[in-house]
Amino acid sequence: MGRNGFLGSFQGFDAFGKTMEDVKIKTRTGALLTLISFSIILSAMLIEFIDYRRIHIEPSIMVDRSRGEKLVIEMDISFPRVPCYLLSLDVMDISGEHQTDLEHDITKTRLSKDGRVLEVTKSGQLKGEAERANMNRDPNYCGSCYGASPPESGCCNTCEEVRQAYVRKGWSFTDPNGIEQCVDEGWVEKMQEQNTEGCRIEGRVKVNKVIGNLHFSPGRSFQNNAMQIQEIVPYLRDNNHHDFGHIINKFRFGADIPQAQEAALLPREMATRRRLGIKDPLQNVAVHTEESDYMFQYFLKVVSTSFVYLSGETISSHQYSVTQYERDLRFGNAPGRDGHGHMTSHGVNGVPGVFFNYEISPMKIIHTETRQSFAHFLTSSCAIIGGVLTVAGLVDSIIFNGSKRLQGREPGFNGPSGKMM
């Protein structure tokens, strides 16, 4: 079995044969390559370790299987030339039903011409101030509708009910001074006091997670024979100029969770959004017009989004894309040429205001935090060390052999000039 028996035979499997120190030649070039290789290995290992500790976010797409959820719309919009008493907020879903029993938290702020805050009113209603009737009347009081179509009760006890009766009859509500209810409520004085003001609306509205629209418009909207009617005479026949130029300070879609929980999760969600470059496209959008009879429309595609963190915590939210469309209503539905010279016509009448038409995407985007495994880090480290040393050995051999050939000596391991790596 050889001189050393079994151990001697086992040594034959050694793939790392050793050389004697006497046959090794050490050069300055080899020393320099060794230092460079060591520096490269340290740098690459440091980069690999940083990458190992870094948290990556991997996106994925799946079908949104949620059912029966609510959608929270958070907004902060300023209208410099529409007073608060004229401004109404309405929400409708795909069925066309006017949602009046929504959970919401809306704040209206009266603004002066130069944008100063005059008064902040926090209300649980979506109606304008001119729409809230005086509730201190005699319970037996039955006001006249002045020949217009009365409500089911047969009485018009408030200025607002008289206005609705006029709309149902198809009449224009142009002279509130001749209406007892309006005079008692100080409706005219309130209009004159606030005519030159603007309004800022901020808060949140909870809606069904279906196709729908949220719109700001002047006056009061009514449902009549399955049609929505907008009463805008006070807006158009005012002696002051009004228009729906606006500034969108914030407009985002959130998940249906308690506000306290949302406030706790929001900083982390916003930090993740900034890291991914996700922005609300309508934020800080300013639009101006000099026309009172002008309509702004935004068409939004809302996509459910979830952020899944390494800790197991999940934050549900939404992101959206938007397309903007503007329409001058002075020409009605008559055909005309647009800015590109194309002949266009409109099949439906428009109303001055700002309309947000949102559609829910059937897809859901999930952003998941991930981190490299330790096995991946270990494998990459071994590959770095072996690769750098192998390449350095090849470079050193080429330089050594090339220098000997230039000196006219034959390189080799048998002569005194040979180098053993």
Side-chain angles (χ1 to χ4, degrees):
M1 295 183 61
R3 185 176 59 182
N4 295 325
F6 174 76
L7 294 178
S9 300
F10 182 73
Q11 290 177 359
F13 292 98
D14 186 4
F16 307 99
K18 312 303 185 293
T19 58
M20 299 178 61
E21 291 292 332
D22 296 340
V23 297
K24 289 184 179 180
I25 299 177
K26 296 185 178 182
T27 63
R28 294 187 181 90
T29 303
L32 179 61
L33 284 174
T34 301
L35 293 177
I36 294 175
S37 300
F38 185 70
S39 300
I40 293 175
I41 290 174
L42 283 181
S43 301
M45 289 284 291
L46 179 60
I47 294 174
E48 188 65 27
F49 179 77
I50 294 175
D51 190 56
Y52 162 65
R53 297 300 303 170
R54 180 183 292 122
I55 296 176
H56 302 270
I57 299 180
E58 300 293 338
S60 60
I61 300 177
M62 63 176 293
V63 176
D64 187 3
R65 297 184 175 88
S66 60
R67 294 292 183 272
E69 289 186 351
K70 293 285 187 177
L71 193 64
V72 175
I73 303 176
E74 298 183 17
M75 71 195 81
D76 181 357
I77 306 176
S78 299
F79 299 90
R81 294 183 178 179
V82 181
C84 287
Y85 78 87
L86 277 179
L87 195 59
S88 292
L89 170 61
D90 296 287
V91 181
M92 299 179 64
D93 61 20
I94 192 173
S95 67
E97 295 181 357
H98 191 174
Q99 303 293 322
T100 57
D101 56 349
L102 301 175
E103 296 182 27
H104 49 266
D105 186 7
I106 297 295
T107 300
K108 284 187 175 182
T109 303
R110 292 170 52 193
L111 304 175
S112 64
K113 284 185 177 181
D114 55 3
R116 290 183 296 105
V117 175
L118 299 178
E119 181 185 7
V120 179
T121 303
K122 189 172 183 179
S123 173
Q125 298 180 353
L126 297 181
K127 302 177 181 179
E129 289 184 19
E131 301 170 17
R132 294 197 288 271
N134 190 340
M135 304 301 295
N136 297 324
R137 295 186 184 275
D138 186 345
N140 297 322
Y141 174 79
C142 182
S144 172
C145 295
Y146 299 89
S149 300
E152 294 182 1
S153 64
C155 302
C156 295
N157 293 339
T158 65
C159 183
E160 174 59 27
E161 290 179 349
V162 176
R163 293 174 64 193
Q164 293 186 29
Y166 270 58
V167 170
R168 285 191 294 268
K169 190 71 173 180
W171 296 350
S172 295
F173 188 76
T174 58
D175 187 17
N177 287 316
I179 307 298
E180 175 190 1
Q181 295 88 328
C182 298
V183 173
D184 292 344
E185 296 170 12
W187 198 79
V188 176
E189 290 77 8
K190 186 179 297 184
M191 286 181 58
Q192 293 176 349
E193 178 186 354
Q194 302 181 18
N195 271 344
T196 60
E197 297 177 359
C199 188
R200 178 176 181 177
I201 290 186
E202 52 187 322
R204 45 193 282 140
V205 177
K206 186 182 294 186
V207 299
N208 295 322
K209 194 175 179 180
V210 296
I211 298 175
N213 73 79
L214 176 148
H215 58 270
F216 298 89
S217 54
R220 177 71 164 89
S221 60
F222 306 96
Q223 292 289 333
N224 187 19
N225 296 328
M227 296 181 61
Q228 186 181 22
I229 302 174
Q230 204 78 25
E231 201 279 299
I232 60 175
V233 172
Y235 170 80
L236 295 177
R237 297 195 177 179
D238 193 339
N239 292 328
N240 296 278
H241 174 75
H242 301 305
D243 64 66
F244 268 90
H246 55 277
I247 302 171
I248 303 177
N249 305 301
K250 180 175 70 172
F251 194 92
R252 65 184 298 267
F253 294 87
D256 182 18
I257 58 177
Q259 284 189 264
Q261 182 181 356
E262 181 184 18
L265 297 176
L266 188 59
R268 188 171 190 181
E269 177 189 346
M270 297 309 296
T272 306
R273 282 174 171 265
R274 286 191 295 269
R275 180 180 175 186
L276 295 174
I278 300 176
K279 298 180 180 179
D280 296 322
L282 286 179
Q283 186 167 345
N284 298 324
V285 170
V287 182
H288 176 73
T289 181
E290 292 293 337
E291 300 297 334
S292 297
D293 211 1
Y294 209 82
M295 180 180 182
F296 297 94
Q297 290 182 290
Y298 297 96
F299 298 90
L300 297 85
K301 177 75 74 171
V302 183
V303 183
S304 298
T305 305
S306 292
F307 302 99
V308 182
Y309 298 94
L310 288 175
S311 61
E313 181 183 22
T314 300
I315 298 179
S316 298
S317 184
H318 299 82
Q319 54 183 312
Y320 64 92
S321 61
V322 62
T323 302
Q324 181 179 350
Y325 177 75
E326 300 178 9
R327 178 181 171 188
D328 191 339
L329 303 176
R330 291 176 297 169
F331 308 105
N333 296 334
R337 295 191 180 276
D338 59 14
H340 302 284
H342 302 150
M343 185 64 70
T344 60
S345 61
H346 301 277
V348 294
N349 293 322
V351 176
V354 181
F355 293 73
F356 297 91
N357 304 282
Y358 54 88
E359 181 179 350
I360 310 300
S361 171
M363 308 306 294
K364 182 176 184 178
I365 300 177
I366 302 176
H367 296 279
T368 306
E369 285 188 346
T370 60
R371 178 181 285 166
Q372 287 185 4
S373 64
F374 180 75
H376 184 278
F377 169 71
L378 188 61
T379 304
S380 299
S381 300
C382 293
I384 290 171
I385 296 173
V388 171
L389 292 180
T390 300
V391 173
L394 292 174
V395 172
D396 180 67
S397 178
I398 292 173
I399 294 176
F400 179 77
N401 292 331
S403 64
K404 294 304 179 183
R405 289 183 184 278
L406 291 176
Q407 294 174 7
R409 290 185 292 177
E410 186 69 22
F413 296 112
N414 297 325
S417 60
K419 180 175 181 180
M420 181 70 70
M421 287 292 294

